[in-house]
Amino acid sequence: MTKTTTITEGELEDLRGTVRAFLAEYSGEQAVRRAVAADPGYDVDLWRRLATELGLPAMAIPEAYGGDGFGLVTLGIVLGEMGRAMTPGPFFSSVILAAGALLASGDETACSTRLPGIADGSVVGTLAVVEADGAWRTDGFATTAREDGGSWVLTGEKTLVPEGSSADLLLVAASTPAGPALFAVDAGAAGLSAGALRTLDITRPISRVALSETPAVLVGDLGAARQILADVLVRASVALAAEQVGAARACLEMAVAYAKEREQFGRAIGSFQAVKHKLADMLARVTLADAAATEGLRAADGFDDAPPAAVAAAVAHSVCSEAFMYVAAENIQVHGGIGFTWEHPAHLYYRRAKADQLMFGGPAVYHERLLATLGV
């Protein structure tokens, strides 16, 4: 069992309060709008402070590599608050995807070389898996790796790469004669280019990355990427679920507050049965999503009484994606016409909800993934 067992409920709530207060002061709605409009799509100074003052990127990285050694249950508190505030930044790409891939590789050299920088926030990492068809896969990559005099070079194109234009380190999945493998590529490497894509969710920059005979370093065993990427998918799915719950709860609270404040026909709109039912349905979805995300985080941390991690992750991704999408859409409805305007934050959550729903595949894909993990 992981070190999360040493964290008490009270300490988790203290962590939640600290992160929430910090983000409320420095990552409010206007700060988010300024950050996404600037290069590289997030507040670099805020990212530095999250790393140096709060130590958030280091939390779930093992102590041997400069981290604090906590598990995903603890990190889920941070992710939930970041989702709640819609804070732009490379936390998901660097801490969840890149660090997760390095740890899953079991490559001691790569971990000891790369993870300390991710832990202290000085290095921003990301993971490049998806190609032209938009599918998350574990093999069959069009991107190829070729051994050249004892070194490796990569050629191909990746798309939907989170923070791909600003990352210092890219972990790239590619085909080799021995099977799919993972490679580390440093920003600025010869033949590497990246361009930002125009996307629905403006709070999470996504890029297309091209590689042309680009020097790379093998991470993990040759041909071992299938299991590495499967492990990363579990970690990323439950992390995303935690984010989604935080964001969905923010939408619910926003809708409830407006229903109490906005009057129609001399009464608060929340006093009408139709609005009450809508808010009750939103609460039910958020509560169910919270339970699914919590179980997924516990399973990923290896708690003895948790279900298999792959099953719990697939359930969490499915339930939380549906719940966030529903609540974000209903929040707009409760707000009436004001919820459709650019000036209102409701659309930021709706855009994030839709993008999250399609991350790692849409509903049909993750339902099939769940059935596959259950052996159906």
Side-chain angles (χ1 to χ4, degrees), residues 29-44 46 88 202:
E29 180 193 346
Q30 295 308 313
V32 169
R33 291 179 184 273
R34 286 194 299 272
V36 299
D39 187 39
Y42 62 88
D43 185 336
V44 175
L46 178 63
I202 61 174

Side-chain angles (χ1 to χ4, degrees), residues 100-107 127 136 138 180-182 219-221 223-234:
L102 288 167
L103 290 170
S105 75
D107 187 323
L127 180 63
W136 174 280
T138 58
L182 193 67
V219 174
D221 294 332
R226 290 188 188 89
Q227 189 57 52
I228 294 172
L229 296 177
D231 291 346
V232 170
L233 183 61
V234 169

Side-chain angles (χ1 to χ4, degrees), residues 249-272:
R249 196 176 295 284
C251 290
L252 171 63
E253 292 174 359
M254 200 184 305
V256 169
Y258 188 73
K260 290 179 177 178
E261 168 194 320
R262 177 78 167 92
E263 292 190 356
Q264 189 64 273
F265 308 119
R267 299 165 53 186
I269 62 171
S271 66
F272 294 106

Side-chain angles (χ1 to χ4, degrees), residues 277-308:
H277 283 177
K278 194 179 290 290
L279 295 173
D281 286 343
M282 294 167 70
L283 174 61
R285 302 291 182 110
V286 172
T287 303
L288 182 61
D290 193 9
T294 300
E295 196 68 354
L297 293 166
R298 295 179 74 254
D301 274 350
F303 277 70
D304 296 334
D305 59 347

Side-chain angles (χ1 to χ4, degrees), residues 96-330:
I96 301 302
L97 296 178
L102 288 167
L103 290 170
S105 75
D107 187 323
E108 176 60 32
T109 300
C111 288
S112 59
T113 302
R114 307 288 187 172
L115 284 175
I118 292 177
D120 66 22
S122 61
V123 172
V124 169
T126 191
L127 180 63
V129 175
V130 178
E131 299 186 331
D133 63 359
W136 174 280
R137 56 166 50 83
T138 58
D139 59 15
F141 298 105
T143 300
T144 57
R146 180 175 63 82
E147 198 163 14
D148 181 20
S151 300
W152 289 91
V153 293
L154 306 184
T155 297
E157 185 172 285
K158 297 292 185 180
T159 189
L160 304 181
V161 182
E163 315 292 345
S165 297
S166 59
D168 305 296
L169 166 68
L170 295 93
L171 294 165
V172 182
S175 295
T176 77
L182 193 67
F183 296 88
V185 176
D186 291 314
L192 174 68
S193 61
L197 296 172
R198 184 181 180 189
T199 55
L200 182 66
D201 177 16
I202 61 174
T203 62
R204 188 155 14 224
I206 302 290
S207 298
R208 178 184 292 113
V209 174
L211 307 112
S212 177
E213 294 288 294
T214 302
V217 177
L218 178 66
V219 174
D221 294 332
L222 196 60
R226 290 188 188 89
Q227 189 57 52
I228 294 172
L229 296 177
D231 291 346
V232 170
L233 183 61
V234 169
R235 177 184 173 93
S237 294
V238 298
L240 185 69
E243 262 194 13
Q244 290 170 314
V245 170
R249 196 176 295 284
C251 290
L252 171 63
E253 292 174 359
M254 200 184 305
V256 169
Y258 188 73
K260 290 179 177 178
E261 168 194 320
R262 177 78 167 92
E263 292 190 356
Q264 189 64 273
F265 308 119
R267 299 165 53 186
I269 62 171
S271 66
F272 294 106
Q273 192 172 40
V275 178
K276 286 181 181 177
H277 283 177
K278 194 179 290 290
L279 295 173
D281 286 343
M282 294 167 70
L283 174 61
R285 302 291 182 110
V286 172
T287 303
L288 182 61
D290 193 9
T294 300
E295 196 68 354
L297 293 166
R298 295 179 74 254
D301 274 350
F303 277 70
D304 296 334
D305 59 347
V311 173
V315 170
H317 186 34
S318 176
V319 172
C320 296
S321 293
E322 191 277 337
F324 185 20
M325 196 68 232
Y326 177 86
V327 175
E330 290 296 81

